[in-house]
Amino acid sequence: MLLEALYHVPRDKWAYAYDPRTIHLRVRTKKNDVDTVVAMTGDKYDWDSTYFEITMEKAASDEMFDFWEASVLPKYKRLTYAFRVTAGTESIYMLDSGIYHECPAPTGGYYEFPYIHEIDVFKVPDWAKDAVFYQILPERFANGDPGNDPKGTQPWGGQPKTDNFFGGDLKGVLDHLDDLLDLGINAIYFTPLFKSPSNHKYDIVDYKQVDPQFGDNALLKEVVEACHEKGIRVMLDAVFNHCSELFPPFQDVLKNGEQSKYADWFHINQFPARVENGIATYDTFGFFGNMPKFNTANPEVKQYLLDVAEYWIKEIKLDGWRLDVANEVDHHFWRDFRKVVKNANPEAYIVGEVWSDSLSWLVGDQFDSVMNYPFADKVLEFFNGGMDGATFSNRMSSLLMRYPQQTNEVVFNMLCSHDTPRLLTRVGGDKRKLKLSVVFLFTYMGTPCIYYGDEVGITGNGDPDCRKCMIWDPNKQDRELYDFYKMMINQRKTHKALREGRFRFLKADQGNPCIIYERADDSIHFTIWMNNTDQKQTLSHPMVTTDWRDALTNEKVKPADGVMNVALDPFGYRILYRNITK
């Protein structure tokens, strides 16, 4: 047993309250190195009568480690615990005070979770577990009111550029809500809607005014009310890292320099504020001089932006905020942001744009979720033939072990966005690979999001090509692909196990790109079979029960001699399910 690989700390993702009654514990060991891990639990004030052992489940594995999990329901909300790790005939004991070959007497040196305070439990909005999001870039979705088109607006469907306009607006969204309802989505994520000189609106001039190109504040309120009437939640984009160079306080800095009362609203490194040889004398988003970075530690800036966040929650009954460039804003700001937003709407969904491991934002005091770009990268690499099943299983399992379960249940999963090439383009135009990727999206843990137009076959390379106009002519849409998306959305919305059930790989072998995995809760058990090759394959896996059905056709599917054999076409999939008898 490799003792150096053993790891547990009594905090963060390793020991946390899942709800006011339940504590989740995790332990890491070297891969395939131990046989069992047992959590030895009790109350330190009455160890003997509360002592209880829980055999932990191997929940996930990556290339180097196994991860073990257990749920504990301490009788008095206090928990003292240690771990007994066994490999063959050898057992060791993991305590807060160290690793021992003989179990120290309880409870000195044991790990502790002192008390489950309900106020400290990381709570995420329950509705986000059931949400299927649809991302809309308003300028490119639909032109419902040509009367508010910007000067020089081009005909709908032209080639997108960094600086051209096609006239999309909020009236266009309002006109097509029934289309979204038909697709099955129940949540919309809008990229920025506020006054801005650009087509993407990430350089905001006025944070409390809808851009006249899109309509006005009253129309946004009407859109949100119409969405709510149809059961659709609405999340807006908060650009609080930076603003437009036309933002009035920054204009004052350009005019008055060090004497400006707004000089400390920004990170000015040298006056006068200007751009020299492509580099600004003030901090910016990237190296874009037209997007000066806010000093969010300044109390006036903080209050201004927090007022904006609260204003839209209250004004239009907003359901959530997506936070642009969230990792470049200080943690103190986001902690106060969460308090303000949750006070205005306790069920608001807060999603940060962070492209890497985001645990420091996801421990209950800042975000509910993050945009899961690592998910998209790994899924598309796998279905494009870039790794075998074992590697894919390892990497996806590693993602699950990054965060507490409540975050995994609502992490914002997408396969592309306004910042990446289109999904169909990312899979080389192969609809079979696209479908495998989408099946995985809708049967994996987390909150799925579709980028507008992917469901009808829009293609596109990176920005700005990925920001094409939505196709509304049915004769130009891929209706077969649309029906596939609609079917997968319906499967997820119909079955709670596909939203909240446990996830586990059942078959993912080295050198083989085919996989089998499961989602299950107390009522229903799904197995998903995928042939990620260009040849016909028959996948096999032991199945004790015989009451399986095809989830799409309801056809009975029985194993033979305890083994299920599933024949699959090239890049084919099959979803099986069985009801669990209680």
Side-chain angles (χ1 to χ4, degrees):
M1 191 184 311
L2 185 66
L3 302 184
E4 293 91 331
L6 303 178
Y7 188 76
H8 173 82
V9 289
R11 61 180 183 274
D12 301 333
K13 63 182 181 181
W14 300 96
Y16 60 91
Y18 176 69
D19 59 37
R21 297 178 59 248
T22 310
I23 295 171
H24 285 186
L25 301 177
R26 289 176 178 168
V27 172
R28 188 192 75 187
T29 65
K30 181 186 175 184
K31 188 167 185 174
N32 299 325
D33 190 44
V34 307
D35 299 320
T36 60
V37 180
V38 173
M40 306 160 59
T41 74
D43 188 301
K44 70 178 180 180
Y45 297 112
D46 189 4
W47 181 261
D48 291 339
S49 66
T50 59
Y51 181 73
F52 188 76
E53 292 191 355
I54 302 173
T55 300
M56 303 182 76
E57 178 185 17
K58 187 190 292 187
S61 301
D62 62 19
E63 285 87 350
M64 295 186 291
F65 302 111
D66 290 327
F67 299 90
W68 306 77
E69 281 188 338
S71 295
V72 189
L73 282 77
K75 185 175 182 179
Y76 302 107
K77 299 185 180 180
R78 299 182 297 261
L79 187 66
T80 298
Y81 61 98
F83 301 104
R84 183 172 67 246
V85 183
T86 302
T89 60
E90 179 188 9
S91 290
I92 61 92
Y93 298 85
M94 290 179 63
L95 279 69
D96 197 27
S97 58
I99 295 175
Y100 303 87
H101 290 278
E102 298 291 337
C103 184
T107 57
Y110 280 42
Y111 296 108
E112 284 194 44
F113 197 105
Y115 190 82
I116 304 176
H117 290 279
E118 185 167 358
I119 194 172
D120 289 333
V121 176
F122 181 12
K123 298 173 184 175
V124 298
D126 282 337
W127 67 264
K129 301 175 185 178
D130 300 328
V132 176
F133 268 89
Y134 191 84
Q135 181 188 355
I136 292 177
L137 190 73
E139 215 284 318
R140 304 295 161 81
F141 186 65
N143 188 346
D145 181 8
N148 60 24
D149 288 359
K151 183 179 180 180
T153 293
Q154 298 177 7
W156 194 258
Q159 182 63 37
K161 299 178 181 178
T162 57
D163 58 356
N164 60 353
F165 294 87
F166 295 101
D169 51 33
L170 285 171
K171 181 61 165 57
V173 175
L174 195 62
D175 292 343
H176 288 284
L177 286 183
D178 285 340
D179 293 303
L180 300 184
L181 209 62
D182 177 73
L183 180 61
I185 66 97
N186 55 15
I188 294 173
Y189 153 41
F190 285 107
T191 55
L193 294 170
F194 308 127
K195 187 176 180 181
S196 158
S198 67
N199 54 30
H200 54 71
K201 309 302 178 191
Y202 281 97
D203 50 341
I204 296 173
V205 176
D206 187 338
Y207 283 79
K208 289 188 177 180
Q209 180 186 353
V210 169
D211 194 292
Q213 170 191 345
F214 295 152
D216 57 23
N217 293 18
L219 180 56
L220 175 57
K221 191 170 187 177
E222 182 183 350
V223 169
V224 175
E225 289 175 349
C227 285
H228 287 169
E229 288 175 2
K230 296 176 185 295
I232 299 173
R233 305 272 186 163
V234 177
M235 181 170 72
L236 299 187
D237 214 322
V239 189
F240 291 171
N241 174 69
H242 57 270
C243 60
S244 168
E245 64 182 347
L246 300 179
F247 183 59
F250 188 73
Q251 285 291 304
D252 192 272
V253 173
L254 293 179
K255 179 180 178 181
N256 297 309
E258 293 178 81
Q259 305 306 313
S260 170
K261 64 179 182 179
Y262 301 106
D264 193 48
W265 276 44
F266 308 93
H267 298 274
I268 311 296
N269 302 314
Q270 179 183 334
F271 288 97
R274 63 187 185 277
V275 177
E276 296 178 342
N277 300 319
I279 303 296
T281 63
Y282 47 91
D283 292 348
T284 62
F285 166 62
F287 291 101
F288 296 96
N290 65 325
M291 297 186 194
K293 181 179 176 65
F294 281 122
N295 175 15
T296 47
N298 178 295
E300 292 179 350
V301 175
K302 176 183 282 190
Q303 193 58 52
Y304 172 83
L305 295 175
L306 294 182
D307 286 347
V308 169
E310 182 181 54
Y311 173 80
W312 289 110
I313 291 278
K314 292 182 174 180
E315 178 70 13
I316 63 173
K317 303 298 187 290
L318 186 64
D319 299 295
W321 283 108
R322 180 264 189 185
L323 313 175
D324 187 57
V325 202
N327 58 331
E328 296 185 22
V329 177
D330 66 88
H331 291 279
H332 287 78
F333 177 85
W334 291 133
R335 291 187 184 101
D336 288 340
F337 174 89
R338 182 180 184 88
K339 291 175 183 177
V340 167
V341 168
K342 294 291 186 176
N343 184 61
N345 178 4
E347 288 298 302
Y349 180 47
I350 301 174
V351 182
E353 183 198 15
V354 184
W355 289 57
S356 54
D357 191 323
S358 310
L359 182 62
S360 58
W361 290 273
L362 295 169
V363 292
D365 62 342
Q366 295 173 71
F367 310 158
D368 297 314
S369 176
V370 289
M371 299 187 75
N372 201 0
Y373 283 103
F375 165 86
D377 293 341
K378 291 171 175 57
V379 168
L380 293 174
E381 184 180 356
F382 174 65
F383 290 115
N384 275 319
M387 63 180 86
D388 61 16
T391 303
F392 182 57
S393 170
N394 289 337
R395 294 183 181 177
M396 297 310 298
S397 297
S398 180
L399 281 186
L400 285 177
M401 290 298 104
R402 279 185 172 185
Y403 307 130
Q405 181 175 327
Q406 49 263 66
T407 290
N408 285 332
E409 290 171 346
V410 298
V411 69
F412 200 77
N413 293 333
M414 67 282 170
L415 294 169
C416 67
S417 75
H418 64 292
D419 285 324
T420 72
R422 286 274 180 173
L423 176 56
L424 190 53
T425 298
R426 296 184 80 175
V427 295
D430 192 326
K431 278 175 53 177
R432 300 171 304 175
K433 294 180 180 180
L434 179 149
K435 288 181 177 180
L436 286 183
S437 303
V438 171
V439 169
F440 194 84
L441 171 70
F442 281 102
T443 56
Y444 187 69
M445 291 189 72
T447 301
C449 181
I450 302 166
Y451 185 40
Y452 79 95
D454 280 354
E455 75 280 10
V456 295
I458 292 181
T459 60
N461 292 304
D463 177 21
D465 195 44
C466 59
R467 303 177 181 185
K468 291 178 180 176
C469 295
M470 178 64 179
I471 298 172
W472 290 112
D473 182 350
N475 295 318
K476 296 181 180 179
Q477 293 179 336
D478 187 329
R479 297 304 296 180
E480 188 273 335
L481 185 59
Y482 178 91
D483 289 340
F484 162 77
Y485 269 89
K486 186 174 178 178
M487 177 269 294
M488 285 307 307
I489 292 171
N490 182 64
Q491 285 291 318
R492 184 178 180 91
K493 291 171 65 177
T494 301
H495 300 292
K496 186 177 180 181
L498 294 178
R499 305 191 301 273
E500 298 184 38
R502 72 175 184 271
F503 173 93
R504 184 174 62 172
F505 283 98
L506 300 177
K507 184 179 181 66
D509 300 329
Q510 290 185 349
N512 188 337
C514 300
I515 57 173
I516 307 170
Y517 58 94
E518 67 179 357
R519 294 296 306 272
D521 60 14
D522 294 335
S523 302
I524 192 168
H525 185 186
F526 282 89
T527 56
I528 298 90
W529 307 63
M530 291 189 168
N531 172 20
N532 189 30
T533 76
D534 60 2
Q535 303 292 321
K536 289 186 176 182
Q537 301 280 348
T538 296
L539 305 187
S540 301
H541 190 73
M543 292 289 189
V544 176
T545 54
T546 60
D547 53 345
W548 291 90
R549 290 180 177 271
D550 188 296
L552 307 184
T553 66
N554 212 35
E555 171 191 358
K556 290 184 178 180
V557 184
K558 290 188 176 182
D561 298 324
V563 176
M564 183 73 79
N565 297 299
V566 176
L568 297 170
D569 289 332
F571 298 107
Y573 67 93
R574 200 164 188 189
I575 303 172
L576 306 182
Y577 80 96
R578 58 179 288 269
N579 293 313
I580 298 173
T581 303
K582 295 185 179 180

